Amino acid sequence: MNVTFSRRSFIKMLGVGTVATLTPNILKAGTIPHIVIVGAGFSGATCAKYLKMWGGSTVQVTIIESNSTYVSPILSNLVLNGKKTTTNLSFTYVDYGNKYNINMIHKSVDSVDSLSKTITLDDLSVINYDKLVLAPGIDFIKTNNYDVTKVPHAWESGEQINLLKSQIDNMVDGDTFIMSIPKAPFRCPPGPYERACVVADYLKNTKGFTNSNVVVLDENSKIIVEENTFSTVFNSYGVDYRPNSVVTNVDDVNKIVSFTENNIAKMLSSTVLNVIPNQKAASLIFTAGVNSGNWASVNPLSYESTIKDDIYIIGDSQGTGQPKAGHIGNSEAKVCADAILRTLNGLSPYPSPKTNSACYSPTSSTEASWLTAVYKYDSNTKTMVSANTAVYPAAGSPSTSNYKEMFNWSGNLFSDTFY
Amino acid sequence: MNQVNNHKIIKICMYSITSVVLIGCGGGGGSSSTGTATSQSSNTSVISGTVPGTLIEAFCKDGSYYKTNSTDNGTNNHPFELEIPNDLDCKLVMTTNEDDLDITKRIVTPLKLSDGVTSSTYFQLSENSDIGYIGLPLFGQGIQPLISISTAGTKLKINSFSYDPLDLDNDGIPNGYEDDDNDGEYNKDDDDDDNDGIKDSLDDDHKDDTDGDGIKNENDKDDDNDEKKDEDDDDDDNDGIKDIDDNSDTSTGTSVTLPSSYTQNDGRLLGSQCSQCHGTNGNSVNSWDSIAGEDDLLDEIHDDDPIMSAQAKGYTNTEINLIGSWLNTLQSNED
């Protein structure tokens, strides 16, 4: 497993200009520490950028991200109704090399060795780290083995969302759009409800269907965020919302979803099944041995793993009481970056960090709602808890001006993350 | 800025009413309390006046766009000042009820100006000018008939044009405020102006004029009318994709100086949490405000629209002051 390159190509790969002694575990005086970040979505990308913005030439930062283009799940429901394309939502890290001097490696990670502090990539090359940040996102817990190209979740953007869009566009009047929502916690709490609204509006008002329905099978016992807003919109579109509905099997050939509704077994069939499975941390979290249950357990003051030293986990993969979403992933990344820099300089992390989330949700092709929250550190539970009210503050109702503001929110978020 | 409390310069408040009754105009002699303002450079001037409580927008012939809100001073005559370049023909549109979430409830009034010889929706500034009190309608919905204002006594230059790119059908209403497909959304807010199912940004009929003001992007100084001139704007068409990556634009990005040492800075860490919405280092890339250089954060942060004040409640005053101190050290891209 430990196949190493020649020293010269090894150093070149790390982007370090001169020959330096790269001895794992011992950071010699004057050696520039190497921070490796796996995954360059909202969380990983922000972490890399801020490490360089605040740490500059005192740290060497490498990103390992298998995709050279990242397609944002944020705003991706607007692909379904034709308002955006995945091209509009694609980011390429083009500024990262020049502007921030971050090394980009477009490969995937095979394994992590926390004793020797090395990672092995899929091409068997080995990379040393002083600090490792894992931001690999989520993985799905499917009920059974079915083909996600036939029953797309579209809960990662890019190919999946385009698949779902073409399935929707192939619907004829009278067809039903069936979506299932997993048990919380899952990525982007308002996301599925937003999708149901956007699709219902699209079928009715853009495609002009009069006999098509949207059915929502929600494993949760009620709409988990913006309950008033979404239930009002659901009612106005005639969305068939069914809580306490647990998917038990997916038949991708006959397009049948089996589920229990209040413990009674049922089945539904349709041309479009958008089953969004239950979620857990990406597999790398498990193979690296930093999970506790389904998510990574970390110290919210730094996002350092409570299980392994010098490994940090940010974004959707970790569990600290915060929701899973791109905006808050960006937010966590900054706390993590600063904590790493303080640690490298012999300082303690800031003891009372704040993070925040915000999300604008389109509910049609012209209107959107919003919600927002701020989180603070609770030293008793060692988690992040709400800093203002018990319920997320949210827009009173969807509006066209919120819809416009949505692009200001997303525009600055994209820019702060990827540029 | 001159603080002239008693006022004023020239009594401009004799307006000739040619097209509409001005409801609520409460008499002329406008108590414009700002006097003569000072503009930032020798190339621009300030047009000022008072209004009932209004959003004032200027659409200019080179495609640039400026806007301001009048200041609520507790009276019925709210002063406004809008700085625009000299010698540039611009149109003014005034909106009361501008905060109404329902766009159709906003009351939008384009202005017409007359110097006694020529009457036009365009004016040119050469010096700071006050046009006095403008009694805008406070009732009604949507686009109102033009209100005509006399500019007698000022040096405003009034040019009239037979071909008006900002108002192609010459009805006095700027293109952006037309509603071509009658769907209740003004063209400037509508991303499919002609309702042909093809979004304007992809529609051959519209994509060469992103903000739909009538000036093609290649000639438009502000392609997306976000008040940032294209030469200063990282995202000319406001689609969230930086120009450097965006197929539809080729302008270059900005550069950054990386530090050579790490400095602990609590205000910067807390303040970095503002960047998700206000841009890196408080420099917004769109029409949400930049906060770099902000020197009164504690007031501003609680004073703003619903989502900002909801966020603000999550921070203590100590934290806000820390953030504010850091923001104060930052260079704004709006200077």
Side-chain angles (χ1 to χ4, degrees), chain A residues 165-183:
Chain A
K165 167 143 185 71
S166 58
Q167 286 191 358
I168 291 171
D169 281 340
N170 284 332
M171 288 172 71
V172 298
D173 199 353
D175 285 347
T176 304
F177 176 80
I178 302 178
M179 180 180 75
S180 76
I181 302 180
K183 186 118 190 99

Side-chain angles (χ1 to χ4, degrees), chain A residues 313-350:
Chain A
I313 304 103
I314 50 178
D316 291 354
S317 309
Q318 50 77 38
T320 39
Q322 294 164 101
K324 297 173 187 313
H327 180 119
I328 196 168
N330 163 305
S331 177
E332 293 158 8
K334 289 154 175 168
V335 173
C336 177
D338 193 62
I340 288 176
L341 289 167
R342 288 193 193 207
T343 304
L344 290 173
N345 284 274
L347 305 161
S348 301
Y350 183 63

Side-chain angles (χ1 to χ4, degrees), chain A residues 143-192:
Chain A
T143 49
N144 58 295
N145 190 19
Y146 65 88
D147 185 348
V148 298
T149 64
K150 298 202 172 104
V151 179
H153 46 73
W155 219 242
E156 281 161 352
S157 197
E159 191 195 325
Q160 275 281 306
I161 203 93
N162 286 329
L163 272 172
L164 183 59
K165 167 143 185 71
S166 58
Q167 286 191 358
I168 291 171
D169 281 340
N170 284 332
M171 288 172 71
V172 298
D173 199 353
D175 285 347
T176 304
F177 176 80
I178 302 178
M179 180 180 75
S180 76
I181 302 180
K183 186 118 190 99
F186 55 84
R187 163 184 286 177
C188 192

Side-chain angles (χ1 to χ4, degrees), chain B residues 57 139 195 206 247 250 286 335:
Chain B
E57 295 172 283
F139 302 100
N195 211 24
H206 292 85
N247 300 331
T250 54
N286 51 51
D335 286 341

